[in-house]
Amino acid sequence: GENVEQHPSTLSVQEGDSAVIKCTYSDSASNYFPWYKQELGKGPQLIIDIRSNVGEKKDQRIAVTLNKTAKHFSLHITETQPEDSAVYFCAASTIKGAQKLVFGQGTRLTINP
Amino acid sequence: DGGITQSPKYLFRKEGQNVTLSCEQNLNHDAMYWYRQDPGQGLRLIYYSQIVNDFQKGDIAEGYSVSREKKESFPLTVTSAQKNPTAFYLCASGRTGLGEASYEQYFGPGTRLTVT
């Protein structure tokens, strides 16, 4: 089955700098890759996703890139702000009727003022 | 106000007791999912349902049971057979079928279950 590895497990950056989180997946049939942000004690919130027919997607300060050949995808946050501090999860899914997401282990991002 | 609700937020049980976690959605989504989250780990799929009266096991279904009698509701029962039931339980819902939005899953606020 699918396996998703996420790095780093913790990341600390200065406010205003960029943050990059990377994930690799094992199943070449996976074709949907969402990123979730989870604040303490809350459910994950979908922040951006990408499908395998595109290589990059951007939404304001957030971007995701996908390299299908290497089977990895990355989350890029620019101009980081204190409210970006949270745990971020990547996931992968093979669309065969149900979106069975397989999640990475998570990255705790801390933005230092 | 559309969304996914889970209740209660915190739940405490004694070992050996079954406990049922509630999940309700008013987003008119066909698919619903239950995930388990342990400290410092990602989410793992317990059960999912694509349509009323039908559900499938996820990766860690042992010790859990579900029902899907209504489109809006997908309760999860943690049985006494689950060896490590203490965890944060998350319910999600999403569309099925084709289209841009069909892949997206939306999560509820979660229920933290503690079994002693």
Side-chain angles (χ1 to χ4, degrees):
Chain A
E2 175 66 277
N3 183 54
V4 177
E5 296 288 334
Q6 182 173 346
H7 299 282
S9 57
T10 60
L11 180 60
S12 182
V13 302
Q14 288 299 120
E15 181 177 354
D17 289 349
S18 296
V20 180
I21 303 171
K22 299 181 180 180
C23 288
T24 60
Y25 61 99
S26 61
D27 189 347
S28 57
S30 290
N31 54 6
Y32 175 63
F33 308 93
W35 285 89
Y36 286 86
K37 175 183 180 182
Q38 186 177 30
E39 297 178 344
L40 192 62
K42 297 184 179 181
Q45 177 188 9
L46 179 67
I47 57 172
I48 196 167
D49 57 15
I50 192 167
R51 289 152 180 79
S52 60
N53 58 345
V54 296
E56 184 175 359
K57 183 177 179 180
K58 192 172 182 180
D59 183 3
Q60 298 182 4
R61 297 186 297 109
I62 295 174
V64 57
T65 58
L66 171 65
N67 183 326
K68 286 192 296 181
T69 303
K71 289 191 280 190
H72 67 70
F73 57 110
S74 300
L75 177 71
H76 304 253
I77 306 174
T78 59
E79 300 173 15
T80 53
Q81 301 169 4
E83 53 265 37
D84 294 329
S85 293
V87 179
Y88 291 81
F89 290 96
C90 63
S93 174
T94 304
I95 308 302
K96 293 180 180 178
Q99 287 73 52
K100 295 173 60 179
L101 292 175
V102 177
F103 283 82
Q105 298 86 348
T107 296
R108 181 173 299 279
L109 176 63
T110 302
I111 308 302
N112 301 308
Chain B
D1 190 21
I4 304 171
T5 57
Q6 292 186 243
S7 60
K9 188 171 179 66
Y10 299 96
L11 192 54
F12 298 88
R13 281 292 183 273
K14 293 291 186 182
E15 192 174 329
Q17 294 179 335
N18 292 354
V19 58
T20 298
L21 282 59
S22 169
C23 178
E24 303 276 334
Q25 55 98 2
N26 61 4
L27 300 169
N28 199 33
H29 287 162
D30 288 310
M32 296 186 74
Y33 308 81
W34 274 106
Y35 292 88
R36 170 185 172 133
Q37 185 175 28
D38 293 287
Q41 297 187 32
L43 286 68
R44 293 181 290 168
L45 182 64
I46 305 172
Y47 267 98
Y48 65 100
S49 168
Q50 293 180 264
I51 195 169
V52 174
N53 293 323
D54 187 49
F55 48 83
Q56 285 78 40
K57 294 181 179 180
D59 299 321
I60 55 166
E62 186 176 350
Y64 300 98
S65 66
V66 294
S67 63
R68 186 85 187 277
E69 298 177 0
K70 298 187 300 181
K71 186 176 183 178
E72 302 80 17
S73 178
F74 191 41
L76 172 74
T77 296
V78 184
T79 75
S80 57
Q82 169 49 233
K83 296 177 181 176
N84 296 296
T86 295
F88 190 45
Y89 291 89
L90 288 156
C91 178
S93 72
R95 298 182 181 89
T96 58
L98 302 177
E100 279 291 307
S102 65
Y103 297 173
E104 298 168 1
Q105 284 188 30
Y106 300 92
F107 284 83
T111 292
R112 187 167 301 279
L113 173 64
T114 302
V115 177
T116 58

